[in-house]
Amino acid sequence: MKFTTRLVLGASALALMTALPAFAQEEADEGTRKLSTVTVTGSFIQGTPEDAALPVDVLTAGDLKLEGQPSITELIRNLGPSSGVDGQTNQFSSNGLEGTSNINLRGLGPARTLVLINGHRQTYHPYSIGEQAQLFVDTNNIPAAAIGRIEVLKDGAAALYGSDAIAGVVNFITNRDLDGFEVGGSFSSFDGSDGDYDLSAAYGLQGSNFSWVTSVGYNKRSEVLLNEKDWAVLPYAENPVGGWSALSNPGRYVPLSAGGVPLAANVNDNGCDEVGGTYATALNSCQFNFTQFDNLVEEEERYQIFSEYNRRLGNGAELHFELLYAHTDVPSWKTSPSYPPQVLTNQVLLGNHPGFQQYVADNPGAFPTGTAAALFIGRSFGYGGFPGTGGAQEGYRTSDTWRGSGSYVGDFDNGVHYDAALSYSTTEAERLTNDTYIVGLTSALRGFGVCTDPNTGFDPATGTRPYAPGYTGALTAGAGGCEYYNPFSNAIPASAVTGEPNPNYVPGLENTATLADWMTDPSLTVATTDLMVFDGVLSGQSNVQAAGGSVGWAAGVQVRRESYKVEPSPLTDLTVTPGPGGTGPYSFLAGTVPADEDQTIFAVFGELQVPLYDTLNMQFAVRYEDYGGDIGSTFDPKVAAKWDVTDNFALRGSAQTSFKGPTLNQLGGVGTTLQFISAASAFKAVDTFGNAALKPESAFSFNFGGIYEVNNFFASLDYYNFDFSDPVIVEEQSNIVNAAVAAINAGDFENPILTRITFNDPAAVPAASQISRVRTNITNGPDIQTSGVDLRLQHSWDMSNNAELSVGADGTYIIEYKVDPYFVEGLPIGGGDYVGQFNRGNFIRSMPQWKANLFANYALGEHNFRVVMRHIDSYKDERAAAARGGVGEKIDSQTTFDLFYNLQTEMIGGFELGLSVVNVTDEDPPFAAFDVNYDPYTHNPFGRTFKISLTKRFGGSGN
């Protein structure tokens, strides 16, 4: 069989991916008691050494201190194997996931890296990555003060851990050995920021047969406007796709006769420049820059607590309990004063509109003779800001996570080790984003704002619309509590961006805060995930003897119950409020449907460690996992080997299959993201629909390489290869739009691809400029093959003054990331080698071909000095020139330098001081044709950042 042949071939290629040396790893105090033997990530056999046939990087708490205690987001971003990482809290890089962070090994997607806490699974964050529909574990929930070490397994591990472990495993292991009380804090700041700070406290109690350690953390991030960075908001001519939209306010108008016939193609409001806008001659329209109202960093607040208790019982068994709680709050999430409407045909104002009459009086001849009405082409609020705030619209994102886990671990009399664990975790998240009512805007343009229902347009007294034929109620346009919405520039008192007064403003014509609040309401959802897992593992050393020793074994079972629930507010629930077009009541944000799904997954697995010879060790593992229903089951084997060729040189490698079933959110529901549609020269709504017919993903992967270590020198070179089938993806809107435009240009109006497009006027002949929405589906995508190499070097010298000097380097080079084409409505979509690309036109994240870090470390007594150089390769923007505004064909490489100083002293009872300067030369991120003018998935935008940290420990058995 094909599978068997591939597995044997992969297994025959012995590989070695080295464990990252634990530079300056802190050793426990001499009296510190270890309750149990370490089990390394990648094996269930107790006592497996860290230098076994496993490509595991180990990062200790001591390692993190040497580099200024970076956030988990920055730590993961700097790892060579990671690519396309979320975590910066602005809406253009997080798509509604502000306040979260994730891990993306090998660029295969955050959902395909399994995240563990103390070796056990954690529930997903309930909101998915919009353009990929991938759920992920939010690593921001883990308090940094509780972390003892992080183990990164850069290898497929489904044979041991099951679903999600396609690209690898990241295991956060907490510190159970703290003795005494420890407090710490840090403050960091960069140009434009009021500063971020972290506070932490931990208490550890160590007894003769127990330990109890509790850590708490508080993190605060300050809001930073995009306008604080001179590169973040650029003129239209320098980046037409840098947050610019042709749907503006002030906007433009199509004059209509009394019979509704257009009298001219376009009449621009001439107040664009006076309120801070930019008139684009080529497009004959005022361009609105919405990023001037957005943040580079959202205000963010986070509380975390983690507590674990361990007790050794009289029979030698150990009880372990842990509890985690984390709360994240983004309280005033900033966004555009309003979103672009997706259907414009309802935005008609009549000739008796006060703002219209004033504009015609002030600008004779602006509208042609015979104009009786006008169709407004624009958004409800723009350069004048949102009247309720004077600037940006505001929403919020919050989440609460709970985790409880307990285990009972020990040894039977025959030496067999047992480990039984039960874990439960849940996250409830809430997301609120405001939008304009479709019908409410129509009613307010006719003068019936505030006094009618904004969802239906009905007069509460009659249940009918006051501007509909046959109305018999008492409401009068613009009178008696009814208000006009005025789209003209004469309604804007001053620019919300510059603060400059508007010379065209006419007092009394402004839109009131009452009207704005009436026209706008929140799209609100509450989403919840929970996960309950039972793990049972037996392991030990068998009586079977190989030439190198006894054969180790492990066998286990796992039962997982996952649930996913979405509770939209009544206005967001399409089953309650379908809206005039079936997508909900709002002009931009589509509604969704409730969801309440669950599934139970059963698995059995086994592992053997076979020391064939003193110098050759083999690992074999298999896992059977059953999802039930249409998803079915999978059988995944793995083989790994390490061969010590000499005392200084070794080879190791592995080959395995991996599996991932679709997550519950991918099987149904609908979500909406804002994406730039080049054919319409504007950002439009892209609706993504779930798919109950999804098949599971699978992958075959192998790696091989070598390690050389002599005295204080260490080197490794490793090759990896992933062959990925049926990945669950979201269809690429850009390719769907391109295919639709080609059909329109060919006059093929019956082409099925046009069913994926909603036009401003569904009754009119389709035109590319009239695209209002795009439908994409979650589907099984094309096969992916990626390969690359990891390089690591380190050398250290013991100096005559008892100092130690170390230098090192690590880097990852991606050889290929080939993606086959797939089909939408019978048309081929995409395909090619996506490495070295921005990948904004497909479902892959940005992927520089290589990146590397160089470091030098000098330790002298209580002092440690460290310098790190980080380099990211240049890459291209693969999109057509029109899609990127004719700019940004290449995203330049970037090299930055970081400096770190640490003092660990016994003065005044002992404390630790850390000073760091990240990006010493204050390099701006390379330009990219993107909303915020850089690539947020790859580069750090903050510039030179200063940080100071202080830690003090009190008490403990050693003091």
Side-chain angles (χ1 to χ4, degrees), residues 22 24 45 50 75 191 239 451 574 672 692 738 769 784 800 818 868:
I45 298 175
E50 289 186 10
L75 168 70
D191 185 31
N239 185 11
C451 60
L574 292 175
T672 302
N738 290 341
S769 61
I784 299 172
S800 59
K818 292 182 178 178
V868 180

Side-chain angles (χ1 to χ4, degrees), residues 399-412:
S399 68
D400 290 276
T401 296
W402 289 91
R403 172 186 172 89
S405 182
S407 64
Y408 184 66
V409 180
D411 297 294
F412 294 114

